[in-house]
């Protein structure tokens, strides 16, 4: 699933996207009655590693990306095992 498909499928729901991480989108998640765009955490960190070290990327991701609540429909991040 990509950003365009999500925007078309959920056009009546103001889903929020994490800027710069479109290649890490895995779908849409639901918790209770709220939907959010779901991202692969490892892929997000890989994207950040293009501009910083692995430790910096992890720290930046945890604090500035996963740790940022931006209201209803805040993106979610999953760990794949």
């Amino acid at each position: 699933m990509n950003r365009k498909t999500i925007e078309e499928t959920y056009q009546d729901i103001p889903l929020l996207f994490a800027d710069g991480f479109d290649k890490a989108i895995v779908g849409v998640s639901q918790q209770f009655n709220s939907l959010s765009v779901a991202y692969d955490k490892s892929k997000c960190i890989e994207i950040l590693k293009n501009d910083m070290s692995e430790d910096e990327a992890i720290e930046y991701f945890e604090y500035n990306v996963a740790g940022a609540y931006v209201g209803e429909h805040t993106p979610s991040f999953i760990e794949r095992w």
Side-chain angles (χ1 to χ4, degrees):
M1 187 171 272
N2 60 40
R3 184 179 186 138
K4 182 179 178 186
T5 301
I6 292 171
E7 289 173 333
E8 290 171 354
T9 304
Y10 298 94
Q11 57 187 315
D12 295 336
I13 302 170
L15 294 175
L16 303 174
F17 292 85
D19 292 337
F21 296 104
D22 286 358
K23 291 185 178 182
I25 292 173
V26 294
V28 174
S29 66
Q30 179 177 353
Q31 184 174 19
F32 303 107
N33 292 325
S34 183
L35 298 176
S36 65
V37 178
Y39 294 83
D40 182 316
K41 176 182 175 178
S42 295
K43 287 184 181 180
C44 290
I45 292 170
E46 287 300 315
I47 291 168
L48 290 170
K49 284 171 49 179
N50 291 329
D51 296 322
M52 55 187 78
S53 72
E54 182 171 8
D55 288 341
E56 291 170 328
I58 292 169
E59 182 178 344
Y60 182 90
F61 174 81
E62 293 295 340
Y63 184 79
N64 296 293
V65 181
Y69 178 76
V70 291
E72 187 177 7
H73 308 296
T74 292
S76 57
F77 302 89
I78 64 168
E79 287 191 51
R80 295 183 177 212
W81 297 86

